[in-house]
Amino acid sequence: MSELPSKSQVLQWISDNPTLTSKRDIAKAFGIKGAARIDLKRILKELEAEGHLEKRKKTYRDPDKLPPVSVLQVSDQTPDGELLARPLEWHGEGVEPVVLLIPRASDPALGPGDRILGRLQEVKGEAHHYEARLIRRIGTNPRKVLGIFKKTAEGGRILPIDKGDGKEWTVTPSATGGAKDGELVEAEQAGPKGRMGLPQARILDRLGDPTAPKAVSLIAIHQHGIPDDFPDDVIAEADAQKPQGLKGREDLRDLPLVTIDPADARDHDDAVWAHPDDDPKNEGGHVIWVAIADVACYVTPGSALDAEARKRGNSSYFPDRVVPMLPDRLSGDLCSLHEGVPRACIAVRMQVDAHGTKIGHRFVRGLMRSAASLTYQQVQAARDGDPDDKCGPLTDEVINPLYEAFAALQEARANRQPLDLDLPERKVVLSDEGKVTSVNFADRLDAHKLIEDMMVLANVAAAETLIAKKSPLLFRVHEEPPPEKLDTLREVAEAAGLTLAKGQVLKTAHLNQLLHGAAGTDHVEVINLATLRSMTQAYYAPSNFGHFGLALQSYAHFTSPIRRYADLIVHRALISAHGWGEDGLSKSDEERLQSIGEHISETERRSMMAERDTNDRYLAAFLSERVGEEFTGRISGIAKFGAFVRLDETGADGLIPMRALGNEYFHLDRDRGTLMGSDTGMVIGLGQRVVVRLSEAAPVTGGLALDLVRLDGKTITPGGSDTPRKGRGRGKPKGGRGGPKRKLAREKHKSDKTKRKVSRKRR
């Protein structure tokens, strides 16, 4: 018989082998057999009682770990000058972890006693347990500045690009960060507020050429007026928040809820778990839990946090950064359902039958602890039979039951027939320097659909509960298409040899029949685009007009209160309706629901435009080195100044100006969406296959200018701006109108008023 391991040896094994932590795995590792297993069990029980281990079902694991974003206090300085810190939120009963601060050159000086918000990375084999990067010092909130650096004898100045901000900032020679004259820089206030003369700034990041990749999203943020820094009182309120305990909450910490998100997600606001229903009346049915971060307990009506969250309306997402609705202390820490960390939540337990129809649900205000933070790719691989070390122990208990419940929801979805658009989402991939390396189709896995279906079901449950309790709320409204847009869609369908029935109450099933008829044909993309363009814009309102696209009578957003203010309103309504506390929907909220809905609908559109403009600029920069090359694509839009083409390779939209269409005048038929040549009768319409040549790419505006080479396989003789055309527009353009780049900018501006470009499908 092998000698029993010491307690420290057992702990070291569990730390080094996090996926082999059952009693059987531990016994096998140390060669323990027979009666000696009883002694091993005793050792494990003692370690559990001492707080060194925590038993989860049949496995043992380390106690709670630190969240990836934590509040730290600088505690000591090593002889080498390195700073050590201790966590101010530590739930474990073992030895408090030691954190080593990894400073950047631009970080402010820190010393013992300073409190900071840091982003943590666990390390092994070192004297410290975590390494941390500074997000910001607690209690300070320096103003951020984006502008052009101008070098002077005294150091330099920054000319802000913010709209309406004419104030310059001075930069001392030691704070320039090596910036060069004319560079776009990001800086922060360096001197005290309210000082006489021009304020001082310290440069944090050199963004180089204002047209460079790293500058793209920042320019869009400022152009569209998206607030990207938090007022001091908002930061102070966020920093003062403490983790919620169990008082007044249902204990859900033993439920194996897991978060499933993109690999680059920094916050986790929803967690799921499912299992077969043991109710004999619901044979073959499932129980689905959806737990959502309880933001309402931290962001209360009338607070500075609430006013700023309402002002922003939502988080804005760009390829290289996120502008959050809430400060990091909340969005990345207290309101994020990090693995192994107790977090406040509002959860809904839903029963569905064997066919995926919801037959009951109840909401609770609870305290949960995520069993694992997983990615879509991890979960899908585990379901497909290739689990990694993290998913392996969860496959049978968590992942497979989720997919079994998802199969039932898919059956219910097929019966309901929500709008089934097929518009693959393209993702701009950036290097560390912010340069576009590729443009890929985003994966659409069953794991994505699983989470989407469960979130939709939870949103329905929230709306139904609040309607039943006669509580005010904000609905997510999506009205059916107007008749004139449907007529245009019918004409596009007829041109493709397809039909859309007329003279009946329109249902999503009718549109799905059209979409499925186009599947597998050359017309699939144009039919999907035309169908999307026929839709109305979804919005938030206190009146319920249903959700046409999802084929649902009642729908409200409940599942993302970290990033959407509408969901926070629904959370407050649930709190008031259930009598869970004083942080529910206020009378002021109720009285202003109409105006709040209008405002956050507008902020959503603002973010969409900024995100779209950013993607356009990134794509233009990506293609700027390929001017003169030929590309395949389809006509995606028609306007009085030319035709838009969506390029197959990148999904970028470019413009063929009228001057590049040929040597004749083209008539615009707005109803049919076509251009017809006055001499040849050549028709250019939606969906036609083209080969185009990239004549110009303007990263500053995001515009692409194209020349038409072939239309439906037929070679076209190009007509340039110096080629006379019959009818209006004959001859060269008049002077004083600028060169090609200026024209491209004007045409891009015009196009924004007349076309709808697809950035992502939003529900």
Side-chain angles (χ1 to χ4, degrees), residues 691-719:
V691 175
V692 293
R693 183 181 298 107
L694 180 61
S695 60
E696 189 170 357
V700 172
T701 64
L704 301 176
L706 308 170
D707 291 328
L708 183 60
V709 178
R710 286 193 292 277
L711 177 69
D712 283 339
K714 181 180 178 181
T715 300
I716 303 298
T717 302

Side-chain angles (χ1 to χ4, degrees), residues 732-745:
K732 295 183 180 181
K734 294 180 180 180
R737 297 288 287 171
K741 288 189 178 180
R742 188 173 179 87
K743 291 178 183 177
L744 189 58

Side-chain angles (χ1 to χ4, degrees), residues 247-568:
K247 185 178 179 180
R249 297 179 179 274
E250 188 168 324
D251 193 347
L252 307 178
R253 288 176 292 180
D254 287 337
L255 300 185
L257 291 153
V258 297
T259 61
I260 305 175
D261 294 288
D264 57 355
R266 288 190 171 184
D267 55 64
H268 312 279
D269 53 8
D270 57 79
V272 294
W273 178 51
H275 63 84
D277 195 351
D278 55 9
D279 186 343
K281 296 180 181 179
N282 189 26
E283 185 177 355
H286 305 268
V287 173
I288 300 172
W289 281 89
V290 173
I292 306 298
D294 189 351
V295 176
C297 65
Y298 299 109
V299 184
T300 54
S303 65
L305 277 167
D306 181 44
E308 184 67 16
R310 184 172 62 250
K311 174 184 174 182
R312 295 177 178 230
N314 51 267
S315 298
S316 300
Y317 294 83
F318 303 93
D320 63 336
R321 72 189 69 237
V322 177
V323 179
M325 186 179 80
L326 301 173
D328 280 320
R329 173 62 171 153
L330 299 182
S331 62
D333 187 8
L334 295 179
C335 296
S336 191
L337 308 179
H338 295 306
E339 178 179 336
V341 181
R343 284 291 179 253
C345 68
I346 295 179
V348 56
R349 179 188 186 273
M350 299 173 287
Q351 285 179 285
V352 299
D353 63 21
H355 306 289
T357 301
K358 183 169 64 66
I359 59 175
H361 69 268
R362 68 178 177 90
F363 282 88
V364 300
R365 200 174 197 183
L367 187 71
M368 63 159 286
R369 179 165 44 202
S370 171
S373 294
L374 306 175
T375 69
Y376 290 114
Q377 289 73 20
Q378 280 181 301
V379 171
Q380 190 64 53
R383 178 60 175 177
D384 294 340
D386 185 25
D388 61 11
D389 290 345
K390 194 168 188 178
C391 287
L394 299 170
T395 300
D396 292 336
E397 182 185 3
V398 177
I399 294 175
N400 286 340
L402 280 171
Y403 275 87
E404 289 160 8
F406 166 60
L409 295 182
Q410 285 287 90
E411 183 178 345
R413 178 187 175 92
N415 292 331
R416 192 176 84 243
Q417 286 221 32
L419 192 61
D420 189 19
L421 287 168
D422 180 20
L423 292 168
E425 183 182 345
R426 288 175 170 88
K427 183 176 181 180
V428 175
V429 180
L430 304 178
S431 66
D432 292 340
E433 294 75 31
K435 186 175 181 179
V436 180
T437 58
S438 63
V439 182
N440 300 328
F441 284 102
D443 291 333
R444 179 69 171 159
L445 306 172
D446 279 348
H448 291 93
K449 299 175 185 177
L450 180 155
I451 293 299
E452 180 181 305
D453 280 2
M454 292 184 178
M455 296 305 111
V456 167
L457 195 67
N459 288 336
V460 170
E464 290 178 350
T465 292
L466 293 174
I467 290 172
K469 291 181 176 291
K470 296 181 171 55
S471 172
L473 75 150
L474 281 176
F475 292 94
R476 180 63 166 177
V477 178
H478 184 224
E479 299 184 64
E480 65 182 42
E484 59 272 16
K485 289 191 175 182
L486 286 177
D487 289 340
T488 301
L489 176 59
R490 286 190 181 94
E491 292 181 355
V492 174
E494 289 173 4
L498 301 167
T499 58
L500 175 63
K502 193 174 183 179
Q504 57 184 321
V505 177
L506 182 71
K507 297 181 179 179
T508 49
H510 301 138
L511 294 172
N512 286 341
Q513 187 175 6
L514 172 64
L515 293 167
H516 297 160
T521 71
D522 288 342
H523 306 291
V524 58
E525 186 173 358
V526 68
I527 293 298
N528 274 271
L529 283 171
T531 302
L532 182 67
R533 286 170 176 161
S534 72
M535 296 294 110
T536 59
Q537 175 75 48
Y539 62 94
Y540 296 104
S543 300
N544 183 19
F545 299 110
H547 198 296
F548 177 80
L550 291 175
L552 291 169
Q553 293 181 346
S554 303
Y555 193 67
H557 275 165
F558 156 76
T559 55
S560 295
I562 290 178
R563 62 185 180 89
R564 291 189 306 226
Y565 193 78
D567 302 55
L568 178 57

Side-chain angles (χ1 to χ4, degrees), residues 181 188 609 696:
D181 190 66
E188 68 176 9
M609 288 189 291
E696 189 170 357

Side-chain angles (χ1 to χ4, degrees), residues 162-190:
D162 294 8
K163 293 180 179 177
D165 189 353
K167 181 171 58 178
E168 296 182 6
W169 296 70
T170 62
V171 184
T172 63
S174 62
T176 63
K180 297 179 180 179
D181 190 66
E183 280 189 322
L184 184 71
V185 296
E186 188 176 22
E188 68 176 9
Q189 183 169 334

Side-chain angles (χ1 to χ4, degrees), residues 147-165:
I148 304 297
F149 178 71
K150 295 296 183 184
K151 198 171 185 63
T152 67
E154 296 80 22
R157 291 194 178 188
I158 297 175
L159 283 60
I161 66 168
D162 294 8
K163 293 180 179 177
D165 189 353

